[in-house]
């Protein structure tokens, strides 16, 4: 299979943005990164061929496909469709070099254990957003009958027989919920997850597993019941639209005073984000899977944004929305309740002229009349999106480095922004 620009993982590419242009036009919303990764892991559970549509071309997806090939799957991409044949798995380990490149690689743990009854992998990598322990994952897998030894950064897992259980999560962790779903789908008996994550990506994974012959009930609610089945088979599935990408383009329209039609999104998945932009004076009109957003001549502040598990305000949307708030007329407050190091983009936004003060998990944004272009860095995936958004409105030239983070979650970001009037180009 021809891999999707694998060199982007290590490249030193930059965006050059000439700010001050109003965005206007139509943007299609890509498939959800946070949905496609666990769905790709699910292909390991069913012998045979699985077909996944609306699969975005991202470096995180590329790494996932490499993991599948390493494990013995046959993989091919045909445009936005990925075909995976997991009939002949030959390995149950994942190399450290692949694990370190993507935090979400931990979702392969439950799937490999379910299929191979053993797994060896190191702790995952990805964006550094503070403490994101995998204790909940390991606790749940142990309750399902997995013996896990942790030594020198490696997880050595063995499961003679997986058995259903009741697991109460102390926090509604998306990753832990996904790993339980993947591991318990073929466990003997019934598994109940109490305080499960309710994100749309959880519902998408459960829908996929049910298409494979699984018996999962209650996805999207706080209690999920999984009735284990003997075996699963291949499937065909279309990935849901990316709600964080939707939030990003809402921010881009707002900060430039533009007018964008976002096509192929799910309005219900971004309700709290849309409410924030309406508070900021934007006009939003929803019809089916489309949303027309018109930015205000001068944005109003959003009083308080507090990130919460779904259906609350998503932590991944905090940075892009904060970027828009930097030019609002007044003070906006952001409270980060999920991660303890999710304000790394603040320093980069201040380089562009934003007035932001932080204390612990609270950021206070005093809106300014204008931002000024400067060299900035993409500190993480969503922080990278934030500085790009700010650069769209800044006077002069903004140079954004560290695009390896942005390429993890945004498909052709510069191409889409250029198509609606932005002056942005990639320099390799």
């Amino acid at each position: 299979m021809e891999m999707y620009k694998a060199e982007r993982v290590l490249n030193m590419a930059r965006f050059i943005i000439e700010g001050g242009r109003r965005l206007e036009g139509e943007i299609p919303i890509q498939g959800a990164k946070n949905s496609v990764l666990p769905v790709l892991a699910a292909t390991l559970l069913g012998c045979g061929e699985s077909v996944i549509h609306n699969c975005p071309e991202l470096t995180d997806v590329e790494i996932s496909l490499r993991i599948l090939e390493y494990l013995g799957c046959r993989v091919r991409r045909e445009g936005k469709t990925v075909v995976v044949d997991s009939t002949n798995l030959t390995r149950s380990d994942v190399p450290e070099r692949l694990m370190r490149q993507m935090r979400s690689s931990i979702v392969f743990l439950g799937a490999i254990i379910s299929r191979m009854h053993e797994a060896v992998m190191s702790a995952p990598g990805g964006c550094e957003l503070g403490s994101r322990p995998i204790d909940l994952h390991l606790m749940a897998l142990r309750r399902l009958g997995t013996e896990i030894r942790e030594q020198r950064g490696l997880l050595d897992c063995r499961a003679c027989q997986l058995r259903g259980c009741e697991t109460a999560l102390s926090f509604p962790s998306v990753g832990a919920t996904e790993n339980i779903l993947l591991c318990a789908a073929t466990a003997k008996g019934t598994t109940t997850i109490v305080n499960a994550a309710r994100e749309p990506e959880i519902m998408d994974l459960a829908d996929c597993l049910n298409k494979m012959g699984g018996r999962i009930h209650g996805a999207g609610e706080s209690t999920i019941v999984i009735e284990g089945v003997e075996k699963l088979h291949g499937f065909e599935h279309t990935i849901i639209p990316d709600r964080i990408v939707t939030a990003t383009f809402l921010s881009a329209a707002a900060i430039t005073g533009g007018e964008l039609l976002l096509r192929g999104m799910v309005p219900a998945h971004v309700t709290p984000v849309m409410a924030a932009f309406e508070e900021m004076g934007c006009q939003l009109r929803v019809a089916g899977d489309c949303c027309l957003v018109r930015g205000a001549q001068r944005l109003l502040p959003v009083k308080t944004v507090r990130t919460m598990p779904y259906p609350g305000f998503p932590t991944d949307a905090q940075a892009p929305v904060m970027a828009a708030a930097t030019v609002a007329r007044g003070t906006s407050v952001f409270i980060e309740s999920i991660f303890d190091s999710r304000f790394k983009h603040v320093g980069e936004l201040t380089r562009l002229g934003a007035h932001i003060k932080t204390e612990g998990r609270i950021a206070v944004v005093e809106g300014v009349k204008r931002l000024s272009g400067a060299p900035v860095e993409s500190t993480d995936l969503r922080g990278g999106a934030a500085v790009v958004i700010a650069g769209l409105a800044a006077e002069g030239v903004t140079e954004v480095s560290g695009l390896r983070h942005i390429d993890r979650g945004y498909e052709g970001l510069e191409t889409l922004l250029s198509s609606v009037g932005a002056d942005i180009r990639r320099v390799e």
Side-chain angles (χ1 to χ4, degrees), residues 92-93 108-109 112-113 116-121 155-158:
S92 58
D93 64 304
F108 281 90
L109 184 59
I112 296 173
I113 292 171
M116 306 295 283
H117 294 279
E118 62 180 18
V120 177
M121 60 176 60
L155 302 173
D156 188 347
C157 310
R158 298 287 184 273

Side-chain angles (χ1 to χ4, degrees), residues 15 34 50 74 77-79 90-91 107 116 131 167 176 178 184 187 210 223 257 267 296 359-360 375 381 389 406:
F15 282 154
N34 292 336
S50 297
R74 286 170 30 187
R77 179 186 275 277
E78 301 168 355
T90 56
R91 307 188 67 105
V107 79
M116 306 295 283
S131 176
T167 296
E178 289 168 346
N210 284 338
T223 300
E359 183 173 342
L381 172 55
I389 289 165
I406 293 173

Side-chain angles (χ1 to χ4, degrees), residues 151-393:
Q151 52 185 0
R152 292 187 293 182
L154 284 179
L155 302 173
D156 188 347
C157 310
R158 298 287 184 273
C160 293
Q161 185 174 40
L162 294 169
R163 292 186 176 276
C165 65
E166 179 173 309
T167 296
L169 299 178
S170 58
F171 177 84
S173 163
V174 173
T177 302
E178 289 168 346
N179 256 324
I180 298 169
L181 285 170
L182 291 165
C183 193
T186 57
K188 187 178 179 62
T190 300
T191 298
T192 304
I193 311 174
V194 178
N195 197 27
R198 301 170 59 189
E199 274 72 2
E201 295 79 13
I202 296 295
M203 291 184 276
D204 206 31
L205 175 60
D207 184 30
C208 165
L209 290 169
N210 284 338
K211 289 177 181 178
M212 301 175 72
R215 295 177 182 172
I216 299 170
H217 314 280
E221 303 297 331
S222 58
T223 300
I224 300 177
V225 178
I226 308 116
E227 298 177 41
V229 297
E230 271 193 39
K231 61 181 180 179
L232 299 172
H233 50 74
F235 62 93
E236 185 169 0
H237 184 74
T238 300
I239 299 298
I240 60 172
D242 196 310
R243 59 197 174 102
I244 308 305
V245 169
T246 303
T248 300
F249 287 121
L250 287 171
S251 299
I255 200 170
T256 64
E259 181 176 311
L260 293 180
L261 177 66
L262 307 183
R263 186 175 296 280
M265 47 92 79
V266 180
H269 291 175
V270 287
T271 298
V273 178
M274 293 171 66
F277 282 112
E278 288 178 331
E279 184 180 347
M280 296 172 80
C282 297
Q283 296 179 23
L284 282 78
R285 291 173 53 193
V286 173
D289 67 348
C290 295
C291 176
L292 179 66
V293 53
R294 292 191 182 98
Q297 187 172 7
R298 177 83 191 274
L299 293 173
L300 301 173
V302 55
K303 292 181 182 178
T304 304
V305 169
R306 182 188 298 270
T307 64
M308 298 288 286
Y310 191 84
F313 193 97
T315 179
D316 282 356
Q318 174 254 111
V321 175
M322 183 185 292
T326 61
V327 295
R329 186 191 292 113
T331 302
S332 303
V333 177
F334 291 79
I335 303 172
E336 176 55 55
S337 303
I338 308 299
F339 296 125
D340 54 14
S341 294
R342 195 127 210 197
F343 288 149
K344 290 185 177 181
H345 54 282
V346 167
E348 303 305 306
L349 291 175
T350 58
R351 288 175 63 85
L352 296 171
H355 290 176
I356 307 173
K357 294 182 179 180
T358 62
E359 183 173 342
R361 295 190 177 201
I362 300 175
V364 179
V365 183
E366 296 283 353
V368 297
K369 285 188 176 181
R370 63 184 59 88
L371 301 172
S372 299
V376 291
E377 182 181 359
S378 170
T379 56
D380 55 75
L381 172 55
R382 307 307 173 184
V387 294
V388 169
I389 289 165
L392 295 175

